[in-house]
Every structure is written in C-alpha cells, then in structure tokens.
Amino acid sequence: MIVEDDAPMRAFFAASVQRSEQLSLVASVGSVAEARAWLDDPAHGVDVLLTDLGLPDGSGLDVIRHARLRQPSCEPLVISMFGDEDNVLASIEAGALGYIHKDATPGDIAQSILEMKAGASPISPMIARRVLMKYLNLQSNQLPAKVQRAGVATNNESDSREKNLLSAREQEVLELIARGFSYAEIARLKAVTVHTVQTHIKSLYGKLAVHSKSEAVFEATRMGLLPGRG
C-alpha cells in the first residue's frame, strides 16, 4: 500500500512496485483519511506500507500507527527526502522498519521492499548510528549520577576524536565537496590526480559511514567538521 500526496511521485512508486513479479500493489492513496478508511475495511489486507510523512491532512506517523493497530503484521517503510533524518527517527519510533529515498531507482525500491520482507531493515549507516546514539543516551540517563559524569567525559573524548577523524587532506577535500566542486576541479586545485581525489573521498566516506556526497556533507555538518556549518 502506498500513501503519498504528490500524484507523480505516487505513480512512480506504484510503477516501481508493479514492475516486480514478487510484489503486488493493493492500494495507492494520497491522504491520512483515505489510508485510515482503507485500513479499517476488514476485507483489505496489506503486508507492506510505504508512506510519506508530510501529508495534506496529517502525518504519515499517524498512518503507521493506525496500520500497526489495525493490521499488526503490516511492515511500514517511510518514503523520505534526504536531510529528513529527524523525521525518519520519529517514524522508526512509531513502528517503521526503515525508509526509502524519493530519489531511489525503481529497482532499488522493489529490492528494498523484498529485503525487508526477508528480515532486513533498509536504514543507512548514518541513520543506524543516530538510532544507536539515541539508545545509548537513553541508557546513560538511567545510570547513577557518578556513572553519568563518567559518560559525559567519555562523550567529550568522543567529540574530540570526531574532530580529528579526518586527515588534513581529507578535510580539504570534504570542504571543497561541500562548496560544490567536482572531482576534476578538486584535483586541479590540489595539483593531484582525480584518482587521488577519489581515494581521499572513499576514505572519508568510510570514516563518516556514508555513501554519497550529500550524505557526507550532512553528516560532517552534524559532527561539526565543516567550518561555519555546525
């Protein structure tokens, strides 16, 4: 079942589902009210819910909660935009098992659904780390004050390590990426080969646990690694 208010986007996700022989589209609606009405019908059944969060008459979080209430076996996924990580975290707390970016390819969309049904959770390393950190923070709040103080010291050490995470050249490359320079332009500016630039980028992607330029900039900004962006 797809819940998305933007008609072209809804049609794109519907086509992505229908192109897979292993998937079947049972409903495609554009509002919270339509989703609730469909889910309330005892004749309807759904295994997977794909929902946007920003709907004209409410939040996709309400759709997720209603689906889990009416059909407990339903597994929800969020249709997300890049940079929407805080809302993705809220959707996971509401019962979502992961998310699919709006710029994903049809093949990736179908594959993500099938992988989730096989037991996986389509969540990027960046989101997984934030979920883990939130869990650890909740755990630390339950510890005695003395242990909490020790945890704060550890967090400060962790912050210091984060700031020294990248090498000087990786930091330079990151800042140029954030300013919109291409690999070739960075290579010319730094008087190195494109291959060298790609090596630095591969290394910093690994250190930041990301897979794209946009994710690298977002995560580096969150960590305070980009001047003027923290």
Side-chain angles (χ1 to χ4, degrees):
M1 178 183 185
I2 297 169
V3 185
E4 166 63 64
D5 62 310
D6 182 82
M9 184 61 65
R10 185 168 65 247
F12 169 73
F13 272 88
S16 299
V17 169
Q18 292 171 321
R19 76 193 300 268
S20 172
E21 296 181 355
Q22 297 170 271
L23 300 175
S24 176
L25 182 65
V26 295
S28 181
V29 300
S31 68
V32 174
E34 290 175 295
R36 283 176 175 269
W38 193 92
L39 290 165
D40 286 342
D41 188 333
H44 293 158
V46 58
D47 296 315
V48 176
L49 167 70
L50 297 182
T51 182
D52 192 9
L53 295 178
L55 298 169
D57 57 342
S59 170
L61 299 179
D62 297 327
V63 178
I64 292 173
R65 296 188 186 103
H66 198 74
R68 296 303 296 265
L69 178 66
R70 293 297 185 185
Q71 305 201 31
S73 62
C74 175
E75 296 181 311
L77 283 173
V78 170
I79 299 172
S80 169
M81 295 177 61
F82 176 75
D84 203 28
E85 278 73 13
D86 289 336
N87 285 327
V88 169
L89 288 176
S91 69
I92 291 172
E93 293 174 351
L97 297 180
Y99 68 98
I100 297 176
H101 278 304
K102 288 189 175 184
D103 59 357
T105 66
D108 287 341
I109 291 169
Q111 188 62 31
S112 293
I113 296 171
L114 293 172
E115 287 177 355
M116 184 189 70
K117 292 304 297 179
S121 292
I123 300 176
S124 73
M126 180 169 59
I127 288 293
R129 181 162 63 181
R130 293 187 66 179
V131 171
L132 178 60
M133 290 305 298
K134 187 167 186 177
Y135 171 77
L136 293 176
N137 287 336
L138 289 174
Q139 290 292 99
S140 68
N141 289 337
Q142 299 173 6
L143 296 175
K146 183 177 180 180
V147 178
Q148 284 189 27
R149 286 194 295 272
V152 169
T154 301
N155 287 336
N156 289 337
E157 292 174 3
S158 177
D159 290 342
S160 178
R161 285 195 299 270
E162 279 190 347
K163 292 185 183 300
N164 296 314
L165 180 64
L166 305 180
S167 69
R169 182 49 60 91
E170 288 166 352
Q171 181 69 35
E172 292 172 359
V173 170
L174 173 64
E175 292 174 11
L176 290 171
I177 286 175
R179 291 167 58 188
F181 287 93
S182 68
Y183 292 176
E185 290 169 334
I186 295 172
R188 286 196 297 271
L189 285 170
K190 295 301 175 183
V192 297
T193 66
V194 172
H195 175 73
T196 298
V197 173
Q198 291 173 331
T199 300
H200 289 312
I201 289 175
K202 181 178 180 181
S203 176
L204 70 88
Y205 277 12
K207 291 179 179 180
L208 297 177
V210 298
H211 301 282
S212 68
K213 290 182 182 179
S214 54
E215 278 196 343
V217 172
F218 180 87
E219 181 67 0
T221 299
R222 186 191 69 78
M223 296 170 65
L225 297 176
L226 286 173
R229 289 171 171 259

